[in-house]
Amino acid sequence: MNYWVLFFLLVHKRAERFYQVLLSEIASPRKDNLEASVNIIGANIKEISKALKGVRWVRRMGKDDTPLSEDEIYASYAEGITSVILSDERVAKYIVTARLDFLLHFLSELKNNNISLEHTRFGLEKIFEALFQEKNSYFYSQLDYRGVSLAANVFEIILSDPYFITHFRVLGGAHNFGSYNQLSDKYLTVYFKALEYALKGFWKNNCPINMGQEICRAFRQIKEYSQSLAYATLQKDKAKEAISRLQKIESFLGHTYIWDYRDALKNNLVSDYEKDVTKSSNYMTSVNYAYAECVYEFIESLAIVKEEYDEQVRFIGITTTMETIGVNSQSDSDISKIQDVLIGLIWEKINGKFMSNEQGYFPAVLRVYLEMVGLEVGDGTSVAGQERKKLVEFLYKSIKPKILSGEKMANNKTTFEKGVLPKSIILNRTTGNFEYVMSGGSNQIMELKNNL
């Protein structure tokens, strides 16, 4: 290693030589070369970060072909260090597993100089990706309370800071939630821990809008992944693992989010925009609205799960909505507006155009919702009790006539009764009543009350 280049990034004319030497050293398979190269970058990180401010995004997009100034040439080598050298898989892995000092110093200097993905391109993205994917990264060791990560809460430093969430898209850029096969159980644990810290930072920093939109994107990723998991249950070799991952999502949506939100309410950290569970447009919503929408989409995706797992689906649905629609929840609680949005989204589908069409379709969420609140529990004053009354009325007034008329589904083979009702609910042709078949084998009559 040519150590004479150690501080040559300070001099414009030496920047190219500095960059070329680093490239050659990183290409070497020797571990000590890798370590030395990261040491050199670390020693110059302040100057590299300052130089990155000269990177011009308009040039990268091919919209400006004027000659580069000396400062821009200088900046281009700084960019090369972050977008080429630091994006090397070996370098990124080494930093997130063995160089906490470098990682924290680098992040601090980037923030001090207001640097974002526009300046660094792939380097930071690769480092954040490695934090989530490498089994020995500081994120994973933090989960197990081991190693040097105990000296600093890396989750809190990165995820609770609006700067890193908004400037580097830590929650969205490096994750692929569209494919069932690409994520492990431990990865999900890390991701939900990261999202929890992002939410804590969101509340603590008075709900900054830009940070909120990145968290909303995370909820959209969770919705997509839920569907992928639900479809995976249709394959025998994947079903058990897919159910386990659905339960991880259930735990975060059903408990973690609501508990953290209630803490924020207690400490007066929630903006009016968030309290009102606002939806400004299809592309701009409050975090609370994105959460409610995610819960709805998650419940709907459970309808895809193979029928033999109906009992698990019921418990997943109940646990996911325990705080919002559960037997202990009340309509005048501190999360009533979240409840209103969630229930509104559900009934918009249940009682919408799909139920009244003649093409043999039905809202998928209905089967799951019947499983969740169809069984009468308690005195009926809870949100679940009130929802059950509405569903029972809906069964008799909207579903029963379709069943008795022999209506069929879109394939013109499956009866409407089999397509719409879960196995736990039957229509007794003798009495004309719907009945909920309990796990022990006995039936509970779902009768209309109070002249509904």
Side-chain angles (χ1 to χ4, degrees):
M1 168 64 71
N2 296 309
Y3 286 99
W4 60 268
V5 302
L6 185 58
F7 295 104
F8 275 1
L9 193 61
L10 296 171
V11 183
H12 289 202
K13 289 187 291 186
R14 302 292 189 180
E16 181 178 4
R17 177 60 179 156
F18 182 92
Y19 178 58
Q20 294 299 333
V21 170
L22 283 175
L23 276 180
S24 64
E25 296 300 330
I26 290 296
S28 168
R30 292 178 55 182
K31 185 178 178 181
D32 58 342
N33 281 26
L34 175 65
E35 182 179 354
S37 296
V38 172
N39 284 340
I40 288 179
I41 295 173
N44 289 272
I45 208 67
K46 185 184 292 288
E47 288 301 320
I48 292 172
S49 300
K50 287 179 181 179
L52 285 170
K53 290 191 289 187
V55 174
R56 292 182 60 185
W57 181 250
V58 68
R59 290 191 183 279
R60 187 180 297 150
M61 300 301 290
K63 297 178 180 179
D64 187 347
D65 56 3
T66 58
L68 291 174
S69 68
E70 186 178 357
D71 284 343
E72 286 176 322
I73 294 173
Y74 182 54
S76 70
Y77 290 115
E79 181 196 23
I81 291 170
T82 58
S83 65
V84 178
I85 295 176
L86 294 183
S87 70
D88 182 277
E89 188 174 345
R90 290 171 59 241
V91 178
K93 181 177 179 180
Y94 172 64
I95 289 170
V96 302
T97 58
R99 292 303 300 268
L100 182 61
D101 59 329
F102 177 91
L103 177 63
L104 297 182
H105 184 201
F106 189 28
L107 294 176
S108 175
E109 288 301 326
L110 291 174
K111 183 176 179 180
N112 289 341
N113 289 282
N114 198 32
I115 302 302
S116 68
L117 277 179
E118 290 185 354
H119 305 95
T120 62
R121 290 204 285 179
F122 309 113
L124 262 292
E125 187 173 280
K126 201 69 179 178
I127 288 173
F128 288 134
E129 181 181 329
L131 278 168
F132 282 95
Q133 293 184 349
E134 289 298 328
K135 299 300 188 298
N136 292 313
S137 81
Y138 297 118
F139 277 178
Y140 285 80
S141 59
Q142 197 100 53
L143 288 180
D144 302 329
Y145 299 101
R146 57 185 168 85
V148 297
S149 63
L150 292 179
N153 188 330
V154 187
F155 279 113
E156 184 173 16
I157 290 169
I158 298 175
L159 277 306
S160 292
D161 192 327
Y163 180 84
F164 295 115
I165 295 292
T166 57
H167 283 67
F168 293 100
R169 296 193 61 200
V170 184
L171 288 171
H175 309 281
N176 183 357
F177 278 82
S179 172
Y180 162 80
N181 295 316
Q182 291 193 6
L183 305 180
S184 67
D185 278 359
K186 206 67 177 286
Y187 186 105
L188 286 179
T189 301
V190 166
Y191 187 81
F192 284 127
K193 177 64 71 173
L195 183 51
E196 181 181 1
Y197 272 98
L199 285 164
K200 289 177 184 291
F202 177 67
W203 307 126
K204 185 178 179 180
N205 287 280
N206 300 313
C207 310
I209 296 294
N210 289 343
M211 186 180 188
Q213 292 315 297
E214 289 301 319
I215 294 173
C216 289
R217 289 190 182 95
F219 279 121
R220 287 196 286 273
Q221 290 181 147
I222 293 169
K223 289 189 298 185
E224 293 171 5
Y225 189 57
S226 300
Q227 293 178 350
S228 175
L229 291 174
Y231 279 114
T233 66
L234 304 178
Q235 302 176 52
K236 189 173 182 180
D237 61 327
K238 295 179 179 179
K240 186 175 180 181
E241 190 173 34
I243 291 289
S244 173
R245 295 182 188 181
L246 286 169
Q247 289 169 334
K248 283 184 180 292
I249 299 175
E250 153 220 310
S251 178
F252 178 82
L253 296 178
H255 299 299
T256 306
Y257 183 89
I258 294 297
W259 292 345
D260 286 348
Y261 177 57
R262 281 184 160 142
D263 282 343
L265 282 174
K266 190 185 302 181
N267 292 301
N268 297 315
L269 300 176
V270 183
S271 67
D272 290 340
Y273 185 79
E274 286 295 335
K275 286 179 182 178
D276 291 339
V277 196
T278 311
K279 179 181 180 181
S280 302
S281 70
N282 288 335
Y283 306 101
M284 182 73 175
T285 72
S286 64
V287 168
N288 274 331
Y289 187 94
Y291 163 77
E293 191 173 49
C294 183
V295 172
Y296 160 71
E297 296 277 0
F298 179 69
I299 294 170
E300 185 176 57
S301 71
L302 295 176
I304 302 169
V305 175
K306 200 170 183 178
E307 274 193 355
E308 66 183 85
Y309 301 103
D310 275 359
E311 190 68 12
Q312 286 99 320
V313 163
R314 176 173 177 267
F315 283 112
I316 289 173
I318 289 173
T319 305
T320 303
T321 58
M322 183 64 70
E323 302 289 337
T324 49
I325 312 177
V327 294
N328 294 321
S329 60
Q330 299 298 320
S331 57
D332 60 349
S333 74
D334 54 352
I335 58 170
S336 60
K337 290 192 176 180
I338 294 178
Q339 293 170 322
D340 291 344
V341 169
L342 173 57
I343 292 170
L345 288 169
I346 292 171
W347 278 97
E348 184 180 335
K349 284 294 182 72
I350 288 179
N351 207 15
K353 63 180 182 179
F354 284 110
M355 188 49 71
S356 59
N357 76 78
E358 297 179 358
Q359 285 76 45
Y361 297 104
F362 74 100
V365 72
L366 177 60
R367 289 182 65 251
V368 182
Y369 207 44
L370 285 167
E371 286 269 26
M372 289 166 51
V373 301
L375 184 66
E376 185 173 18
V377 180
D379 59 8
T381 62
S382 66
V383 175
Q386 295 169 23
E387 286 300 293
R388 183 182 185 276
K389 289 177 184 177
K390 286 161 59 179
L391 266 182
V392 170
E393 179 183 12
F394 186 77
L395 281 174
Y396 282 96
K397 292 187 176 181
S398 299
I399 303 299
K400 186 175 178 180
K402 288 176 175 287
I403 292 175
L404 295 180
S405 69
E407 190 170 316
K408 289 186 170 57
M409 304 302 292
N411 61 13
N412 208 32
K413 295 179 181 179
T414 308
T415 64
F416 188 81
E417 181 175 16
K418 181 173 176 58
V420 172
L421 299 182
K423 289 189 297 184
S424 60
I425 294 177
I426 61 172
L427 175 60
N428 187 320
R429 297 299 200 282
T430 302
T431 65
N433 289 324
F434 285 96
E435 298 176 2
Y436 192 101
V437 182
M438 293 183 280
S439 57
S442 58
N443 291 7
Q444 183 187 88
I445 297 174
M446 303 174 73
E447 56 185 337
L448 286 167
K449 295 180 180 180
N450 301 325
N451 298 317
L452 285 177

